[in-house]
Amino acid sequence: MASKSGTYITEHYPSAAADAGQSIIAKGFKITTRKLPILKAEPIEKMTESLGIAPPEMIFGDNMVSIEHAASGFGINFNTYDALDRVDKTGHSMLQVAHSKEWQSTRSVLRFKLKGVREKKHEGITEVVKPFDWSYSTDYKGTLRPGSPQFQPSTTPIPVGLLKRPDPIQFFDEVMLYEDEMADNGITMLSCKIRVMPERLLLLCRFFMRLDNVLVRIRDTRVYVEFGTGEVIREYQAKEEKYEVVREKLASAGQDVPAQFRDPNNLTDLLPIVDRTLERLIESRYATPDVYNLHYISTTGPHQAVKVPPIRAAKAPAVTSSVSVASDNPPTDEQSSQRPAQFSPARSIAQELRKRASVTTETYVAYGACETLVKECARQAAYKIAQAQDKNVDIPKTKDGEDLGVGEGWWYERLGLPPTFNTWAQVTFLHMYFLTCRFRVFPPAYAPIWHQHLLDHFFFLAEDRMTTQHGMVAGSVRSKYLKDLFVQWRGLMAGYDEGLVKGDAVLATAVWRNIFKADADVDFRGVGQVVSYMRGVLQGLERIKDEELAAGDVVFGDPGSEMDNVLSRSKMMGTLVDVKEQKL
């Protein structure tokens, strides 16, 4: 869909900081994203004059996402200017809010260049009358490049089933186009997310608006591309509902209403569809052979494409199994030879990428794999707080004042640790430490990328748990806890590293201090099990190939099987006992 200005890509008022962004070419389709800071005053003034409306408070005018296919001439671009150009400038779609002084003073400054702005005052209420939709609601579906094939109406839906498959993510990015807090009356924002898999891609451009006590609105444009057939599907879906209706639905389900209202993902299923269109285009010249053919373009230096040699697609085995990381004995050569050979396209792709691709490429492999790996780490000591959904019920506390939940598994049932946020974080940290040790043997240019993504995904999970399980609505409170967790992580790594070098006694002290909170009454057989488990898992990770780890193909066991090792008498202890008996 071309914009009303008939323009393509963000070439209207690019700032001096604008660059080419970062790109990936997958089977002839070039995907480009660009993320830069908020526009400065001069570009904003030029955009204001051209659009005829003042832009939102936070406008990322240089940001964009594009999909292009050079052979066919197809191209679609999502940019800030064209999205705002679709905002109603007549005032017919204007929403009203009966607040006042803050809204009036804020907007009167921003709209100083616009003509025809007026304000009407009534008893106790200021009705703000503007010649455009100040919620910045847009029905933007993207901007087609000049000469691009046009979409045609269709009834073919986006194949959701294919998108749910656990395919490796070769490229992912999220780009903000604009945001406005509507003078503390809510929020309105437009953003794009795109993910590229080996055989397809999906782009989501989402407009989200919440006007407190008035309306909730979500407008989604999805662009789906199937590389093998060249099929491109565009779906536009508009949803909206009265604020109070949505609030009642959330409250009746026992949800944390303020927290849920901040995330459109939590609201989209609660809003009825008010408009929906499906469009499609497909041409034979888009189709590509069944060969994995991928180029990455780095924008940090000269544009030099790195080509991955074609890998013929092969059928995956009927049954696949993850690599189990536990402290059991390594398989014998005979056992290994009896295992059926299994081919995993994901592992082969990851292996080739790690061998040949650039650092820019590595971050996309690491992002998807680390998300899976962190979830596996967090699964070990997962817990729930049922009372978190009921504001009228007090959450049980430990003697230290921590929220007490309900958890299952060895860490809680056998070791006796309390199911709290701190226990979950420390056990998760322990397993993240295992992975961190393994990442250290990655090539020096890649290891920091994996370390960073591993930590980032943990903090995403931690903040979500703070909100959903512990009702931490205030962002400042969550930020304080996250900073404390980061300090704990740094100290924990130093302690475990020292223990691995100096011996089990020092390692046991680090485990006792972190996981058991230095409890003087702890059963040290449990500490011994954890120490033995750590040694075994680290040995197990040494046997895992890089491509298996890069595919996120890891499953941890638990320390329960280590009790025999803990209770068995060591050689040194046996020698000391024998010497003592001889003296007697």
Side-chain angles (χ1 to χ4, degrees), residues 197-456:
M197 289 75 72
E199 300 298 332
R200 57 193 59 86
L201 71 80
L202 179 69
L203 181 149
L204 169 63
C205 181
R206 168 167 286 175
F207 171 79
F208 170 55
M209 189 275 293
R210 186 196 75 241
L211 183 57
D212 292 339
N213 302 314
V214 179
L215 188 71
V216 179
R217 175 180 289 161
I218 294 177
R219 294 176 176 175
D220 289 340
T221 297
R222 291 179 172 85
V223 176
Y224 171 86
V225 178
E226 183 69 28
F227 297 144
T229 62
E231 182 179 32
V232 183
I233 300 175
R234 180 168 66 180
E235 178 190 61
Y236 171 76
Q237 193 173 86
K239 298 180 176 182
E240 61 183 59
E241 183 59 278
K242 293 180 180 178
Y243 181 94
E244 185 60 25
V245 173
V246 179
R247 190 197 67 78
E248 290 177 355
K249 289 181 180 179
L250 292 172
S252 63
Q255 300 290 323
D256 183 342
V257 176
Q260 299 298 312
F261 262 124
R262 288 193 295 272
D263 188 351
N265 293 322
N266 300 329
L267 305 177
T268 183
D269 292 337
L270 304 179
L271 309 183
I273 297 175
V274 296
D275 187 21
R276 183 172 185 261
T277 60
L278 271 173
E279 299 170 292
R280 180 172 178 259
L281 63 86
I282 180 170
E283 295 189 20
S284 59
R285 52 184 168 169
Y286 286 173
T288 56
D290 190 18
V291 175
Y292 185 80
N293 192 3
L294 186 63
H295 304 254
Y296 284 93
I297 299 175
S298 173
T299 58
T300 56
H303 291 280
Q304 298 178 348
V306 181
K307 183 177 180 181
V308 178
I311 301 174
R312 292 286 175 184
K315 293 184 179 180
V319 179
T320 60
S321 59
S322 297
V323 178
S324 179
V325 180
S327 55
D328 53 352
N329 295 322
T332 63
D333 293 338
E334 182 180 357
Q335 290 172 331
S336 299
S337 64
Q338 292 175 353
R339 292 181 179 177
Q342 296 184 354
F343 175 82
S344 170
R347 292 181 184 175
S348 298
I349 293 168
Q351 183 180 24
E352 291 298 324
L353 289 175
R354 298 208 65 262
K355 285 181 178 178
R356 301 171 180 259
S358 66
V359 175
T360 303
T361 301
E362 187 77 6
T363 190
Y364 303 111
V365 179
Y367 182 93
C370 285
E371 182 178 17
T372 302
L373 292 171
V374 168
K375 288 180 179 178
E376 173 61 20
C377 295
R379 181 183 63 85
Q380 307 305 311
Y383 68 97
K384 291 183 179 180
I385 299 179
Q387 297 87 349
Q389 307 303 328
D390 191 343
K391 298 301 180 182
N392 298 320
V393 178
D394 293 333
I395 298 176
K397 305 286 185 181
T398 66
K399 63 180 181 179
D400 297 325
E402 295 181 83
D403 290 347
L404 186 63
V406 177
E408 298 179 352
W410 184 86
W411 297 93
Y412 298 131
E413 296 172 350
R414 300 292 298 276
L415 200 59
L417 295 175
T420 63
F421 181 87
N422 182 73
T423 299
W424 171 82
Q426 291 300 325
V427 174
T428 303
F429 275 161
L430 175 69
H431 291 82
M432 288 171 57
Y433 175 76
F434 299 152
L435 297 172
T436 298
C437 291
R438 182 62 176 80
F439 292 163
R440 289 170 179 169
V441 302
F442 280 5
Y446 295 161
I449 298 173
W450 287 81
H451 291 315
Q452 188 61 54
H453 280 303
L454 189 74
L455 200 57
D456 287 346

Side-chain angles (χ1 to χ4, degrees), residues 448-495:
I449 298 173
W450 287 81
H451 291 315
Q452 188 61 54
H453 280 303
L454 189 74
L455 200 57
D456 287 346
H457 281 299
F458 167 77
F459 284 118
F460 294 153
L461 288 182
E463 188 167 16
D464 178 71
R465 184 166 289 273
M466 290 177 188
T467 303
T468 59
Q469 297 294 322
H470 298 273
M472 293 185 186
V473 178
S476 59
V477 176
R478 295 197 304 271
S479 295
K480 178 182 179 298
Y481 277 96
L482 291 174
K483 290 178 181 177
D484 290 343
L485 284 171
F486 180 70
V487 173
Q488 292 178 31
W489 168 250
R490 297 294 295 271
L492 171 148
M493 282 201 301

Side-chain angles (χ1 to χ4, degrees), residues 163-225:
L163 294 172
K164 289 183 177 180
R165 291 169 47 177
D167 295 330
I169 296 177
Q170 309 300 337
F171 183 94
F172 173 84
D173 209 350
E174 181 173 5
V175 178
M176 180 64 68
L177 298 182
Y178 63 78
E179 182 176 347
D180 193 294
E181 294 184 352
M182 306 172 75
D184 294 330
N185 289 308
I187 190 170
T188 182
M189 60 191 295
L190 181 69
S191 62
C192 293
K193 291 182 180 181
I194 188 167
R195 59 184 171 112
V196 181
M197 289 75 72
E199 300 298 332
R200 57 193 59 86
L201 71 80
L202 179 69
L203 181 149
L204 169 63
C205 181
R206 168 167 286 175
F207 171 79
F208 170 55
M209 189 275 293
R210 186 196 75 241
L211 183 57
D212 292 339
N213 302 314
V214 179
L215 188 71
V216 179
R217 175 180 289 161
I218 294 177
R219 294 176 176 175
D220 289 340
T221 297
R222 291 179 172 85
V223 176
Y224 171 86
V225 178

Side-chain angles (χ1 to χ4, degrees), residues 1 9 77 95 147 255 392 498 551:
M1 182 185 76
I9 214 167
N77 168 270
L95 297 172
Q255 300 290 323
N392 298 320
E498 182 183 23

